[in-house]
Amino acid sequence: MQLCDIYLGLGEATFRDLLKQISLGKLRTYQLFERMKFRLRVAKLNGESLMKSAPRQWARLAEERDGDLAMDLAQAILVCHVDSLIVPVLDFLGVPHKEGFFEKDANIAAHLTDGWQQRVWERFAAEMPKSVLVFYLNHLAMEMSEGAVLFVPAGQEGQ
């Protein structure tokens, strides 16, 4: 599974919601603002231009399979939720990390036991943005598991 597969598998409505979850202030904090402006091909990056560009970005993912766009969007989405989503999820799973980040070569597979995504979903879905949570669960699986398949929470199919 690749990042484009995650976006496409979760659907265009979830993709639009993911874009809404991007904090421009956090992009500035993490020095990603100009990079995202360039990657999104917008003259001015603000909430309105981000949402207006959504159909173009979706087409780039779906038709062009633009992996660089997929990667930069994932980074933008996830850094905006490190403290509020990623840290609690990693703590729940018992994954060793430093403020939401872990060593690239870390072997966390032992923490990702059968059904881990559904357990995390059941624990956090009521208190976190669902689009970001399901995206992160798929992103983490893709990064840490060979042969990861798209996770769609039980009861959420077709939404």
Side-chain angles (χ1 to χ4, degrees):
M1 180 167 60
Q2 297 179 351
L3 275 172
C4 286
D5 299 323
I6 295 173
Y7 293 114
L8 300 174
L10 295 176
E12 191 170 1
T14 298
F15 176 72
R16 287 178 179 275
D17 194 58
L18 287 169
L19 293 181
K20 288 179 189 174
Q21 300 295 328
I22 294 174
S23 163
L24 301 177
K26 290 271 187 176
L27 293 183
R28 285 185 179 94
T29 299
Y30 285 93
Q31 299 178 347
L32 295 172
F33 188 85
E34 291 300 321
R35 181 176 177 168
M36 286 307 301
K37 188 169 104 173
F38 171 78
R39 183 68 64 202
L40 295 170
R41 302 175 185 163
V42 294
K44 181 177 180 182
L45 181 57
N46 57 34
E48 182 180 352
S49 66
L50 184 59
M51 293 316 298
K52 281 184 177 181
S53 79
R56 274 194 330 271
Q57 309 315 326
W58 180 257
R60 290 172 62 193
L61 293 171
E63 297 164 15
E64 300 173 27
R65 309 272 306 164
D66 187 333
D68 292 334
L69 172 64
M71 186 172 35
D72 285 346
L73 277 173
Q75 185 177 28
I77 293 161
L78 296 176
V79 299
C80 293
H81 295 88
V82 170
D83 296 330
S84 62
L85 187 144
I86 294 173
V87 167
V89 166
L90 293 176
D91 287 345
F92 177 76
L93 291 170
V95 174
H97 65 90
K98 293 191 186 248
E99 298 177 11
F101 298 93
F102 44 86
E103 298 294 324
K104 275 232 186 251
D105 297 335
N107 182 4
I108 66 166
H111 301 280
L112 306 180
T113 58
D114 287 342
W116 70 271
Q117 291 166 305
Q118 188 64 40
R119 284 194 306 278
V120 170
W121 177 262
E122 290 167 359
R123 166 61 183 86
F124 293 106
E127 60 193 64
M128 297 183 176
K130 288 178 175 53
S131 60
V132 180
L133 180 58
V134 74
F135 179 78
Y136 180 59
L137 294 176
N138 280 290
H139 185 274
L140 185 59
M142 179 197 76
E143 290 289 323
M144 297 298 151
S145 307
E146 287 292 321
V149 296
L150 186 71
F151 168 74
V152 178
Q156 299 292 309
E157 297 89 352
Q159 291 188 7

